[in-house]
């Protein structure tokens, strides 16, 4: 059996028990809840732990992901990866209602994140991307790793992505 068939078979075996399962989202239960959390960053700024990115850069990264779902990702993993391992990874994340990924890894081929961009500008960009996605009626582009996703699947992926990055945030407190 060749490598491609082994990968396809393993992804089918991994995803099959999860096919009808959609775990409850662990942090943001709705698009509106995600938008509200983003907006609240303007009133209770957070620090980012364990990342070379500042808060503004994390928000730019999240906006890029949503924008690319509508425009197309600059670089896609190979077709075999997206249809096997990538789709299996999404199935696992979807089933448990939470995603885990490297929190300092840029989207392949995405423009560099601007460390000097203001928080207000980054919050607005992410909210604009979220509004554009909510109102989007066109054909969504394949995810660079997960492949083809429906709009509800993409919404869950974006909310899980948002929640995964939220784990890095801690309240900014005054020090004496």
């Amino acid at each position: 059996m060749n490598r491609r068939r082994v990968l396809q078979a393993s992804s089918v075996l991994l995803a099959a028990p999860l096919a009808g399962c959609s775990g409850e989202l662990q942090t943001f239960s709705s698009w509106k809840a995600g938008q509200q959390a983003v907006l609240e960053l303007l009133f209770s700024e957070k620090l980012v732990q364990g990342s070379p990115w500042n808060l503004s850069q994390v928000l730019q990264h999240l906006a890029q992901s949503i924008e690319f779902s509508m425009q197309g990702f600059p670089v896609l993993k190979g077709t075999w990866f997206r249809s096997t391992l990538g789709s299996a990874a999404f199935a696992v994340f979807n089933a448990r209602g939470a995603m885990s990924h490297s929190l300092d890894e840029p989207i392949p081929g995405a423009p560099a994140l601007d460390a000097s961009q203001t928080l207000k500008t980054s919050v607005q960009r992410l909210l604009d991307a979220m509004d554009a996605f909510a109102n989007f009626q066109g054909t969504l582009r394949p995810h660079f790793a997960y492949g083809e996703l429906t709009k509800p699947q993409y919404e869950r992926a974006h909310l899980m992505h948002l929640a995964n990055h939220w784990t890095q945030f801690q309240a900014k407190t005054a020090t004496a």
Side-chain angles (χ1 to χ4, degrees):
M1 187 180 270
N2 68 27
R3 185 176 87 144
R4 182 176 180 191
R5 285 192 180 165
V6 169
L7 290 172
Q8 286 175 333
S10 64
S11 70
V12 168
L13 291 173
L14 177 62
L18 306 172
C21 182
S22 292
E24 184 175 328
L25 290 172
Q26 293 182 8
T27 303
F28 302 114
S29 59
S30 70
W31 200 246
K32 188 170 185 78
Q35 290 173 307
Q36 184 62 40
V38 171
L39 183 61
E40 288 172 4
L41 291 174
L42 292 174
F43 306 104
S44 61
E45 189 174 343
K46 307 283 186 192
L47 295 175
V48 180
Q49 287 185 305
S51 175
W53 297 341
N54 64 33
L55 182 58
S56 175
Q57 289 171 295
V58 172
L59 299 179
Q60 292 168 55
H61 167 77
L62 291 164
Q64 284 178 336
S65 179
I66 295 169
E67 293 161 353
F68 291 149
S69 67
M70 296 175 285
Q71 302 165 1
F73 284 83
V75 176
L76 300 175
K77 291 196 178 276
T79 302
W80 70 268
F81 183 94
R82 292 190 319 267
S83 65
T84 57
L85 300 177
S87 63
F90 176 75
V92 169
F93 296 154
N94 189 39
R96 70 179 190 195
M99 167 188 298
S100 59
H101 75 297
S102 175
L103 298 175
D104 62 354
E105 189 173 327
I107 296 167
L113 305 170
D114 181 358
S116 66
Q117 189 171 92
T118 68
L119 179 62
K120 182 178 179 180
T121 301
S122 296
V123 164
Q124 190 60 57
R125 177 178 176 188
L126 180 51
L127 290 173
D128 289 347
M130 293 179 85
D131 284 340
F133 181 83
N135 296 313
F136 190 72
Q137 299 297 316
T139 301
L140 293 166
R141 310 300 297 162
H143 186 274
F144 77 93
Y146 307 146
E148 300 289 336
L149 298 176
T150 64
K151 189 166 185 181
Q153 288 173 323
Y154 247 129
E155 183 175 307
R156 281 181 65 84
H158 291 315
L159 288 172
M160 290 186 291
H161 189 210
L162 187 71
N164 192 198
H165 280 283
W166 238 251
T167 64
Q168 300 176 278
F169 299 168
Q170 70 176 20
K172 189 173 187 177
T173 57
T175 56

